[in-house]
Amino acid sequence: MSAAPVEPPHQDEPLTQLAVANRLMEQNPGHRVEIIGGVIVVTPPPNVPHERALKKIAAPLAAAGLDDGEESEVFQGIGVWLPDGPEDYAIPDLCLVDADIDDHKITNNCYDPAVFRLVLEVTSNNYNNDLKAKVIAYANAKIPVYVIIDRKHNRIHVLADPAQNGYDSHRVHAPGEQITLPPSIGAEVKLDVEALLKAGQPRA
């Protein structure tokens, strides 16, 4: 009498980072979950001043015709697939993209960085992530312009000309200055540093 073959007990495959990130997002509604440089980063939901700063910068982009839906569009919370790792992606607070972005979806609701003209972050408690890890990530993705509204240090960074692991141009602007964003975004856009930083602070 021959014995029936015994199958080993079923073992679940280890979860990929992407699966873990998606599970974290499901378990923490409203949080932003990203994989930057192979590290999963979880950011709490934004507060009202954070959103005011985004509204304040979205307005001049729209006024310059960059949110017309024909050539370009402005979005919040759109994922960009990053080249630094097999599952790396980021979700910038705000982005300016080519209008044909729908044709450039890669996976996990993330899009090809080639259609991103500008990404912007408003710093929160994990501000070092915006000031360091994302500088490398966005530069390596060759996103032309990265703007950081740095609420921690009360200044605005404008980075342009992406290179390996950083941007060749990095200008820091203080309250009282006016910024003209790089022309690569597709139109002339001027920003009032003090107004943007004030919008990002709690009201007394």
Side-chain angles (χ1 to χ4, degrees), residues 142-193:
K142 296 183 170 32
I143 296 175
V145 181
Y146 176 28
V147 177
I148 307 167
I149 299 178
D150 185 354
R151 298 189 293 171
K152 172 70 174 179
H153 304 101
N154 203 41
R155 55 195 183 186
I156 293 178
H157 302 254
V158 178
L159 297 89
D161 303 322
Q164 184 68 29
N165 294 329
Y167 285 84
D168 284 341
S169 174
H170 183 171
R171 297 189 177 186
V172 182
H173 301 272
E177 293 185 56
Q178 297 286 321
I179 300 171
T180 300
L181 293 178
S184 61
I185 66 172
E188 183 177 284
V189 176
K190 295 187 177 181
L191 305 175
D192 184 313
V193 174

Side-chain angles (χ1 to χ4, degrees), residues 95-108:
C95 62
L96 169 65
V97 299
D98 294 341
D100 66 346
I101 186 170
D102 298 86
D103 300 330
H104 297 274
K105 187 174 180 181
I106 295 181
T107 188
N108 205 48

